[in-house]
Amino acid sequence: MKFINQPQEMSALTAQLKTEQKSIAFVPTMGFLHEGHLSLIKAAQSKYDVVVVSIFVNPRQFGENEDFDNYPRDLERDLKLAEEHGAHIMFHPSQSQMYPAPMRTEVNVIKGNDVLCAKSRPGHFNGVATVVMKLFQLVKPDAAFFGMKDAQQVAILKNMVHDFNMNVDIETVETSREEDGLAKSSRNVNLNKTERQEAASLYKALKKGKELIQMGKERETLLLEVENELIASTSAEIDYIDLLTFPELEVPQQLTGQLILAGAIRFQQVRLIDNITFEL
Ligand code: AMP
């Protein structure tokens, strides 16, 4: 696996791969890799000639009181895992390499930027879209792989590549979970023992919500029931539980079609998100 940290070197390598007619798949991450990330790398590797993985903890997508400093990092372990799972190139720029000067331009997400995580993380999705735009310019991938754990991010980035005529296929991979159902996340290491035991209740509550929808419950009633279930099973503060259409992220007029039931809860140091998307 080739290790690159200079953006210019990444661009030059991409240009060379293009002349060799190689197809390029890209897996952007913030590192501290787990099975979820590795499933993206594996999926990318099964369909494309070259897999580029990036590790960059992007300060622009963290709010002031969020866990940027506390975000877990272990580059040596990540390099080993990425290589073992089929990555060919690891791009790991520093903050100053990615943002050598204050940005004068950023991507402003319009649709889907006032619901779910956007409500409690103002600026987050503009930060995500901006860094992904920059990374796509450097890596010039044919396809980029993202996890459905971050379904709102998927919806927003699909809109971005469409709106800006970017020639990148956004491919998605299902959420990889621990045995008790907790979605794998780099942040899970920052849960204390009790919080870790309670953390799976988010997915359990969402699954119960899905059953209630299938039983024909009204949106407001079932959202309340999911919240009550969470209040009973965890000490975490509920950030939101919501049911929207997917990928439009709009309040459904009726409970049919493709839907997303999503939630976020906040423990002492860790905010967890999860969702289920399904068709009715
Ligand atoms: P992150 O490092 O958290 O920015 O995540 C990088 C990529 O991995 C994103 O596309 C995430 O959606 C994806 N990802 C994170 N956790 C999971 C998971 N449990 N299952 C599948 N994909 C995931």
Side-chain angles (χ1 to χ4, degrees):
M1 184 175 74
K2 196 169 168 54
F3 181 81
I4 295 180
N5 51 28
Q6 293 287 349
Q8 309 87 291
E9 198 186 334
M10 187 67 244
S11 282
L13 183 53
T14 306
Q16 184 200 320
L17 291 169
K18 297 271 172 202
T19 63
E20 292 168 10
Q21 319 249 309
K22 301 274 196 223
S23 61
I24 303 175
F26 180 39
V27 181
T29 81
M30 296 203 299
F32 209 70
L33 303 183
H34 53 68
E35 252 175 56
H37 300 113
L38 302 174
S39 68
L40 299 181
I41 298 175
K42 274 190 258 171
Q45 194 236 170
S46 69
K47 287 173 74 178
Y48 294 85
D49 298 329
V50 178
V51 178
V52 181
V53 176
S54 68
I55 294 180
F56 181 61
V57 185
N58 173 37
R60 295 183 75 85
Q61 70 191 66
F62 285 78
E64 250 176 45
N65 297 315
E66 293 184 354
D67 55 350
F68 177 75
D69 293 328
N70 208 9
Y71 199 84
R73 295 161 169 92
D74 188 343
L75 184 61
E76 220 169 285
R77 180 174 156 275
D78 285 351
L79 295 180
K80 196 163 166 279
L81 284 172
E83 181 158 33
E84 277 170 11
H85 288 81
H88 302 102
I89 299 167
M90 171 61 75
F91 180 44
H92 176 57
S94 67
Q95 263 194 65
S96 60
Q97 282 163 332
M98 274 304 267
Y99 302 114
M103 291 283 279
R104 291 153 297 191
T105 317
E106 76 163 3
V107 181
N108 180 29
V109 176
I110 299 167
K111 189 157 167 56
N113 210 4
D114 55 355
V115 291
L116 309 181
C117 290
K119 276 195 190 167
S120 49
R121 303 191 73 187
H124 170 69
F125 288 108
N126 286 2
V128 169
T130 301
V131 80
V132 170
M133 173 71 87
K134 272 172 82 71
L135 290 167
F136 280 7
Q137 296 305 319
L138 296 167
V139 177
K140 296 252 160 50
D142 296 287
F145 285 72
F146 292 90
M148 280 302 285
K149 173 171 170 273
D150 300 278
Q152 186 172 14
Q153 169 171 282
V154 166
I156 284 171
L157 294 176
K158 280 190 172 175
N159 290 340
M160 180 179 85
V161 298
H162 184 260
D163 289 349
F164 288 100
N165 307 93
M166 301 169 84
N167 212 359
V168 182
D169 285 335
I170 302 293
E171 300 217 23
T172 57
V173 172
E174 283 313 307
T175 302
S176 144
R177 299 180 180 282
E178 303 288 352
E179 249 171 49
D180 62 357
L182 171 66
K184 300 221 175 194
S185 164
S186 308
R187 290 182 163 101
N188 290 350
V189 293
N190 288 336
L191 293 167
N192 68 33
K193 209 168 157 213
T194 321
E195 291 172 340
R196 172 61 192 87
Q197 279 163 5
E198 292 178 7
S201 32
L202 176 55
Y203 182 53
K204 287 200 188 100
L206 293 175
K207 277 202 301 192
K208 175 160 182 207
K210 181 181 166 188
E211 281 168 23
L212 295 173
I213 299 166
Q214 286 165 333
M215 282 161 53
K217 287 250 176 169
E218 301 258 324
R219 181 168 175 273
E220 294 306 323
T221 323
L222 77 90
L223 290 178
L224 212 61
E225 283 196 37
V226 173
E227 281 192 22
N228 286 336
E229 162 104 9
L230 266 174
I231 290 166
S233 56
T234 163
S235 57
E237 184 191 316
I238 300 174
D239 184 345
Y240 67 79
I241 299 288
D242 210 349
L243 175 68
L244 300 173
T245 60
F246 189 81
E248 301 80 9
L249 304 179
E250 288 166 359
V251 174
Q253 296 306 312
Q254 59 227 13
L255 297 190
T256 55
Q258 196 71 25
L259 299 172
I260 179 168
L261 179 60
I265 58 175
R266 217 181 276 279
F267 285 105
Q268 261 175 5
Q269 296 198 39
V270 187
R271 181 178 170 279
L272 296 180
I273 60 169
D274 204 345
N275 73 80
I276 311 184
T277 56
F278 53 95
E279 174 132 24
L280 264 197

PDB file of all heavy atoms in Angstrom, residues 5-7 14 19 35-36 45 65-67 75 122 125 136 142 149 161 171 190 235 237 246 249 256 264:
ATOM      1  N   ASN A   5       0.921  11.762   1.839  1.00  0.00           N
ATOM      2  CA  ASN A   5       0.276  12.830   2.620  1.00  0.00           C
ATOM      3  C   ASN A   5       0.223  14.178   1.911  1.00  0.00           C
ATOM      4  O   ASN A   5      -0.501  15.061   2.332  1.00  0.00           O
ATOM      5  CB  ASN A   5       0.814  12.952   4.048  1.00  0.00           C
ATOM      6  CG  ASN A   5       2.313  13.038   4.108  1.00  0.00           C
ATOM      7  OD1 ASN A   5       2.940  13.507   3.162  1.00  0.00           O
ATOM      8  ND2 ASN A   5       2.872  12.557   5.190  1.00  0.00           N
ATOM      9  N   GLN A   6       0.930  14.299   0.811  1.00  0.00           N
ATOM     10  CA  GLN A   6       0.892  15.580   0.078  1.00  0.00           C
ATOM     11  C   GLN A   6      -0.258  15.583  -0.933  1.00  0.00           C
ATOM     12  O   GLN A   6      -0.296  14.711  -1.816  1.00  0.00           O
ATOM     13  CB  GLN A   6       2.183  15.769  -0.734  1.00  0.00           C
ATOM     14  CG  GLN A   6       3.434  15.956   0.081  1.00  0.00           C
ATOM     15  CD  GLN A   6       3.489  17.319   0.736  1.00  0.00           C
ATOM     16  OE1 GLN A   6       2.686  18.205   0.431  1.00  0.00           O
ATOM     17  NE2 GLN A   6       4.417  17.478   1.665  1.00  0.00           N
ATOM     18  N   PRO A   7      -1.153  16.563  -0.875  1.00  0.00           N
ATOM     19  CA  PRO A   7      -2.234  16.623  -1.863  1.00  0.00           C
ATOM     20  C   PRO A   7      -1.728  16.609  -3.314  1.00  0.00           C
ATOM     21  O   PRO A   7      -2.305  15.916  -4.160  1.00  0.00           O
ATOM     22  CB  PRO A   7      -2.939  17.940  -1.531  1.00  0.00           C
ATOM     23  CG  PRO A   7      -2.701  18.121  -0.065  1.00  0.00           C
ATOM     24  CD  PRO A   7      -1.332  17.571   0.194  1.00  0.00           C
ATOM     25  N   THR A  14      -3.154  10.158  -9.190  1.00  0.00           N
ATOM     26  CA  THR A  14      -4.456   9.983  -9.830  1.00  0.00           C
ATOM     27  C   THR A  14      -4.327  10.164 -11.339  1.00  0.00           C
ATOM     28  O   THR A  14      -4.856   9.378 -12.124  1.00  0.00           O
ATOM     29  CB  THR A  14      -5.446  11.050  -9.305  1.00  0.00           C
ATOM     30  OG1 THR A  14      -5.475  10.973  -7.901  1.00  0.00           O
ATOM     31  CG2 THR A  14      -6.816  10.835  -9.848  1.00  0.00           C
ATOM     32  N   THR A  19      -4.120   7.693 -16.885  1.00  0.00           N
ATOM     33  CA  THR A  19      -3.480   7.387 -18.180  1.00  0.00           C
ATOM     34  C   THR A  19      -3.354   5.872 -18.345  1.00  0.00           C
ATOM     35  O   THR A  19      -3.335   5.356 -19.450  1.00  0.00           O
ATOM     36  CB  THR A  19      -2.070   8.028 -18.329  1.00  0.00           C
ATOM     37  OG1 THR A  19      -1.237   7.466 -17.322  1.00  0.00           O
ATOM     38  CG2 THR A  19      -2.093   9.534 -18.202  1.00  0.00           C
ATOM     39  N   GLU A  35     -14.764  -2.522  11.590  1.00  0.00           N
ATOM     40  CA  GLU A  35     -15.342  -3.379  10.542  1.00  0.00           C
ATOM     41  C   GLU A  35     -16.206  -2.632   9.530  1.00  0.00           C
ATOM     42  O   GLU A  35     -16.298  -3.038   8.377  1.00  0.00           O
ATOM     43  CB  GLU A  35     -16.196  -4.464  11.182  1.00  0.00           C
ATOM     44  CG  GLU A  35     -15.557  -5.824  11.109  1.00  0.00           C
ATOM     45  CD  GLU A  35     -16.385  -6.831  11.863  1.00  0.00           C
ATOM     46  OE1 GLU A  35     -17.585  -6.971  11.551  1.00  0.00           O
ATOM     47  OE2 GLU A  35     -15.823  -7.448  12.790  1.00  0.00           O
ATOM     48  N   GLY A  36     -16.870  -1.579   9.973  1.00  0.00           N
ATOM     49  CA  GLY A  36     -17.696  -0.781   9.054  1.00  0.00           C
ATOM     50  C   GLY A  36     -16.835  -0.212   7.941  1.00  0.00           C
ATOM     51  O   GLY A  36     -17.137  -0.374   6.749  1.00  0.00           O
ATOM     52  N   GLN A  45     -12.986  -2.754  -3.311  1.00  0.00           N
ATOM     53  CA  GLN A  45     -11.946  -3.594  -3.899  1.00  0.00           C
ATOM     54  C   GLN A  45     -12.526  -4.657  -4.832  1.00  0.00           C
ATOM     55  O   GLN A  45     -11.896  -5.065  -5.794  1.00  0.00           O
ATOM     56  CB  GLN A  45     -11.195  -4.214  -2.722  1.00  0.00           C
ATOM     57  CG  GLN A  45      -9.904  -4.849  -3.053  1.00  0.00           C
ATOM     58  CD  GLN A  45      -9.928  -6.295  -2.593  1.00  0.00           C
ATOM     59  OE1 GLN A  45      -9.059  -7.018  -2.926  1.00  0.00           O
ATOM     60  NE2 GLN A  45     -10.925  -6.712  -1.848  1.00  0.00           N
ATOM     61  N   ASN A  65     -18.150  22.748  20.525  1.00  0.00           N
ATOM     62  CA  ASN A  65     -18.112  21.915  21.731  1.00  0.00           C
ATOM     63  C   ASN A  65     -18.164  20.437  21.398  1.00  0.00           C
ATOM     64  O   ASN A  65     -18.584  19.628  22.206  1.00  0.00           O
ATOM     65  CB  ASN A  65     -19.265  22.296  22.663  1.00  0.00           C
ATOM     66  CG  ASN A  65     -19.109  23.715  23.134  1.00  0.00           C
ATOM     67  OD1 ASN A  65     -18.005  24.120  23.522  1.00  0.00           O
ATOM     68  ND2 ASN A  65     -20.177  24.492  23.054  1.00  0.00           N
ATOM     69  N   GLU A  66     -17.715  20.081  20.217  1.00  0.00           N
ATOM     70  CA  GLU A  66     -17.743  18.674  19.833  1.00  0.00           C
ATOM     71  C   GLU A  66     -16.386  18.012  20.099  1.00  0.00           C
ATOM     72  O   GLU A  66     -15.477  18.637  20.630  1.00  0.00           O
ATOM     73  CB  GLU A  66     -18.201  18.553  18.379  1.00  0.00           C
ATOM     74  CG  GLU A  66     -19.665  18.971  18.246  1.00  0.00           C
ATOM     75  CD  GLU A  66     -20.239  18.804  16.845  1.00  0.00           C
ATOM     76  OE1 GLU A  66     -19.485  18.467  15.906  1.00  0.00           O
ATOM     77  OE2 GLU A  66     -21.443  19.033  16.703  1.00  0.00           O
ATOM     78  N   ASP A  67     -16.300  16.721  19.682  1.00  0.00           N
ATOM     79  CA  ASP A  67     -15.182  15.909  20.167  1.00  0.00           C
ATOM     80  C   ASP A  67     -13.975  15.835  19.224  1.00  0.00           C
ATOM     81  O   ASP A  67     -13.331  14.793  19.126  1.00  0.00           O
ATOM     82  CB  ASP A  67     -15.695  14.492  20.472  1.00  0.00           C
ATOM     83  CG  ASP A  67     -16.396  13.842  19.269  1.00  0.00           C
ATOM     84  OD1 ASP A  67     -16.645  14.550  18.267  1.00  0.00           O
ATOM     85  OD2 ASP A  67     -16.685  12.637  19.329  1.00  0.00           O
ATOM     86  N   LEU A  75      -2.954   5.703  13.808  1.00  0.00           N
ATOM     87  CA  LEU A  75      -2.580   5.592  12.399  1.00  0.00           C
ATOM     88  C   LEU A  75      -1.899   4.266  12.078  1.00  0.00           C
ATOM     89  O   LEU A  75      -2.213   3.635  11.062  1.00  0.00           O
ATOM     90  CB  LEU A  75      -1.673   6.771  12.000  1.00  0.00           C
ATOM     91  CG  LEU A  75      -1.296   6.799  10.519  1.00  0.00           C
ATOM     92  CD1 LEU A  75      -2.523   6.937   9.626  1.00  0.00           C
ATOM     93  CD2 LEU A  75      -0.320   7.938  10.230  1.00  0.00           C
ATOM     94  N   PRO A 122     -25.044  22.475  13.647  1.00  0.00           N
ATOM     95  CA  PRO A 122     -25.048  23.474  12.571  1.00  0.00           C
ATOM     96  C   PRO A 122     -23.664  23.571  11.926  1.00  0.00           C
ATOM     97  O   PRO A 122     -22.653  23.553  12.614  1.00  0.00           O
ATOM     98  CB  PRO A 122     -25.425  24.776  13.295  1.00  0.00           C
ATOM     99  CG  PRO A 122     -25.261  24.510  14.753  1.00  0.00           C
ATOM    100  CD  PRO A 122     -25.359  23.044  14.962  1.00  0.00           C
ATOM    101  N   PHE A 125     -22.737  19.607   7.979  1.00  0.00           N
ATOM    102  CA  PHE A 125     -22.814  19.052   6.619  1.00  0.00           C
ATOM    103  C   PHE A 125     -22.134  19.954   5.585  1.00  0.00           C
ATOM    104  O   PHE A 125     -21.657  19.458   4.567  1.00  0.00           O
ATOM    105  CB  PHE A 125     -24.263  18.707   6.249  1.00  0.00           C
ATOM    106  CG  PHE A 125     -24.744  17.491   6.990  1.00  0.00           C
ATOM    107  CD1 PHE A 125     -25.677  17.595   8.013  1.00  0.00           C
ATOM    108  CD2 PHE A 125     -24.225  16.237   6.703  1.00  0.00           C
ATOM    109  CE1 PHE A 125     -26.094  16.475   8.725  1.00  0.00           C
ATOM    110  CE2 PHE A 125     -24.626  15.101   7.406  1.00  0.00           C
ATOM    111  CZ  PHE A 125     -25.570  15.227   8.419  1.00  0.00           C
ATOM    112  N   PHE A 136     -12.529  14.713  -3.517  1.00  0.00           N
ATOM    113  CA  PHE A 136     -12.891  14.202  -4.853  1.00  0.00           C
ATOM    114  C   PHE A 136     -12.024  14.864  -5.933  1.00  0.00           C
ATOM    115  O   PHE A 136     -11.665  14.246  -6.919  1.00  0.00           O
ATOM    116  CB  PHE A 136     -14.371  14.466  -5.159  1.00  0.00           C
ATOM    117  CG  PHE A 136     -15.339  13.478  -4.522  1.00  0.00           C
ATOM    118  CD1 PHE A 136     -14.903  12.514  -3.626  1.00  0.00           C
ATOM    119  CD2 PHE A 136     -16.699  13.514  -4.830  1.00  0.00           C
ATOM    120  CE1 PHE A 136     -15.790  11.605  -3.048  1.00  0.00           C
ATOM    121  CE2 PHE A 136     -17.604  12.611  -4.260  1.00  0.00           C
ATOM    122  CZ  PHE A 136     -17.147  11.670  -3.367  1.00  0.00           C
ATOM    123  N   ASP A 142     -13.800   7.155  -9.667  1.00  0.00           N
ATOM    124  CA  ASP A 142     -14.971   6.773 -10.466  1.00  0.00           C
ATOM    125  C   ASP A 142     -16.154   6.533  -9.532  1.00  0.00           C
ATOM    126  O   ASP A 142     -17.290   6.789  -9.897  1.00  0.00           O
ATOM    127  CB  ASP A 142     -14.661   5.500 -11.255  1.00  0.00           C
ATOM    128  CG  ASP A 142     -13.541   5.752 -12.248  1.00  0.00           C
ATOM    129  OD1 ASP A 142     -13.809   6.431 -13.244  1.00  0.00           O
ATOM    130  OD2 ASP A 142     -12.394   5.320 -11.995  1.00  0.00           O
ATOM    131  N   LYS A 149     -24.816   3.963   7.737  1.00  0.00           N
ATOM    132  CA  LYS A 149     -24.922   4.445   9.123  1.00  0.00           C
ATOM    133  C   LYS A 149     -25.085   5.966   9.120  1.00  0.00           C
ATOM    134  O   LYS A 149     -25.782   6.530   9.957  1.00  0.00           O
ATOM    135  CB  LYS A 149     -23.685   4.055   9.906  1.00  0.00           C
ATOM    136  CG  LYS A 149     -23.687   4.678  11.269  1.00  0.00           C
ATOM    137  CD  LYS A 149     -22.594   4.150  12.130  1.00  0.00           C
ATOM    138  CE  LYS A 149     -22.513   4.976  13.376  1.00  0.00           C
ATOM    139  NZ  LYS A 149     -21.649   6.139  13.191  1.00  0.00           N
ATOM    140  N   VAL A 161     -23.116  15.581  -5.798  1.00  0.00           N
ATOM    141  CA  VAL A 161     -22.492  15.141  -7.060  1.00  0.00           C
ATOM    142  C   VAL A 161     -23.443  15.384  -8.234  1.00  0.00           C
ATOM    143  O   VAL A 161     -23.015  15.714  -9.341  1.00  0.00           O
ATOM    144  CB  VAL A 161     -22.003  13.666  -7.052  1.00  0.00           C
ATOM    145  CG1 VAL A 161     -20.942  13.447  -6.008  1.00  0.00           C
ATOM    146  CG2 VAL A 161     -23.118  12.689  -6.870  1.00  0.00           C
ATOM    147  N   GLU A 171     -21.639   5.000  -3.901  1.00  0.00           N
ATOM    148  CA  GLU A 171     -22.095   3.638  -3.589  1.00  0.00           C
ATOM    149  C   GLU A 171     -22.236   3.499  -2.076  1.00  0.00           C
ATOM    150  O   GLU A 171     -21.463   4.092  -1.322  1.00  0.00           O
ATOM    151  CB  GLU A 171     -21.095   2.615  -4.124  1.00  0.00           C
ATOM    152  CG  GLU A 171     -20.916   2.720  -5.637  1.00  0.00           C
ATOM    153  CD  GLU A 171     -20.730   1.375  -6.303  1.00  0.00           C
ATOM    154  OE1 GLU A 171     -21.147   0.360  -5.725  1.00  0.00           O
ATOM    155  OE2 GLU A 171     -20.159   1.368  -7.401  1.00  0.00           O
ATOM    156  N   ASN A 190     -15.072   5.649  23.372  1.00  0.00           N
ATOM    157  CA  ASN A 190     -15.204   6.699  24.386  1.00  0.00           C
ATOM    158  C   ASN A 190     -16.450   6.535  25.271  1.00  0.00           C
ATOM    159  O   ASN A 190     -16.759   7.406  26.074  1.00  0.00           O
ATOM    160  CB  ASN A 190     -15.200   8.085  23.731  1.00  0.00           C
ATOM    161  CG  ASN A 190     -13.816   8.468  23.226  1.00  0.00           C
ATOM    162  OD1 ASN A 190     -12.814   7.946  23.720  1.00  0.00           O
ATOM    163  ND2 ASN A 190     -13.743   9.333  22.234  1.00  0.00           N
ATOM    164  N   SER A 235     -29.686   6.075  30.072  1.00  0.00           N
ATOM    165  CA  SER A 235     -29.517   7.357  30.768  1.00  0.00           C
ATOM    166  C   SER A 235     -29.171   8.466  29.769  1.00  0.00           C
ATOM    167  O   SER A 235     -29.061   9.633  30.144  1.00  0.00           O
ATOM    168  CB  SER A 235     -28.380   7.237  31.779  1.00  0.00           C
ATOM    169  OG  SER A 235     -27.204   6.831  31.098  1.00  0.00           O
ATOM    170  N   GLU A 237     -29.222  11.280  26.861  1.00  0.00           N
ATOM    171  CA  GLU A 237     -30.195  12.312  26.485  1.00  0.00           C
ATOM    172  C   GLU A 237     -30.589  12.066  25.022  1.00  0.00           C
ATOM    173  O   GLU A 237     -29.724  11.723  24.199  1.00  0.00           O
ATOM    174  CB  GLU A 237     -29.465  13.651  26.622  1.00  0.00           C
ATOM    175  CG  GLU A 237     -30.270  14.885  26.392  1.00  0.00           C
ATOM    176  CD  GLU A 237     -29.328  16.089  26.309  1.00  0.00           C
ATOM    177  OE1 GLU A 237     -28.404  16.178  27.143  1.00  0.00           O
ATOM    178  OE2 GLU A 237     -29.499  16.889  25.387  1.00  0.00           O
ATOM    179  N   PHE A 246     -36.848   8.880   2.426  1.00  0.00           N
ATOM    180  CA  PHE A 246     -35.435   8.762   2.052  1.00  0.00           C
ATOM    181  C   PHE A 246     -35.350   8.522   0.549  1.00  0.00           C
ATOM    182  O   PHE A 246     -36.059   7.685   0.028  1.00  0.00           O
ATOM    183  CB  PHE A 246     -34.783   7.586   2.812  1.00  0.00           C
ATOM    184  CG  PHE A 246     -33.295   7.566   2.638  1.00  0.00           C
ATOM    185  CD1 PHE A 246     -32.483   8.391   3.394  1.00  0.00           C
ATOM    186  CD2 PHE A 246     -32.709   6.735   1.681  1.00  0.00           C
ATOM    187  CE1 PHE A 246     -31.106   8.389   3.214  1.00  0.00           C
ATOM    188  CE2 PHE A 246     -31.335   6.739   1.498  1.00  0.00           C
ATOM    189  CZ  PHE A 246     -30.534   7.568   2.266  1.00  0.00           C
ATOM    190  N   LEU A 249     -35.510  13.204   2.613  1.00  0.00           N
ATOM    191  CA  LEU A 249     -35.465  13.732   3.991  1.00  0.00           C
ATOM    192  C   LEU A 249     -36.575  14.748   4.241  1.00  0.00           C
ATOM    193  O   LEU A 249     -36.359  15.838   4.764  1.00  0.00           O
ATOM    194  CB  LEU A 249     -34.078  14.328   4.310  1.00  0.00           C
ATOM    195  CG  LEU A 249     -32.883  13.393   4.113  1.00  0.00           C
ATOM    196  CD1 LEU A 249     -31.563  14.104   4.442  1.00  0.00           C
ATOM    197  CD2 LEU A 249     -32.998  12.126   4.945  1.00  0.00           C
ATOM    198  N   THR A 256     -45.721   5.506   3.259  1.00  0.00           N
ATOM    199  CA  THR A 256     -45.431   4.540   2.192  1.00  0.00           C
ATOM    200  C   THR A 256     -44.145   4.976   1.500  1.00  0.00           C
ATOM    201  O   THR A 256     -43.661   6.090   1.699  1.00  0.00           O
ATOM    202  CB  THR A 256     -46.542   4.513   1.117  1.00  0.00           C
ATOM    203  OG1 THR A 256     -46.707   5.853   0.638  1.00  0.00           O
ATOM    204  CG2 THR A 256     -47.844   3.976   1.633  1.00  0.00           C
ATOM    205  N   ALA A 264     -30.594   9.962  17.341  1.00  0.00           N
ATOM    206  CA  ALA A 264     -29.297  10.304  17.919  1.00  0.00           C
ATOM    207  C   ALA A 264     -29.487  10.451  19.417  1.00  0.00           C
ATOM    208  O   ALA A 264     -30.493  11.002  19.866  1.00  0.00           O
ATOM    209  CB  ALA A 264     -28.774  11.610  17.335  1.00  0.00           C
TER     210      ALA A 264
END
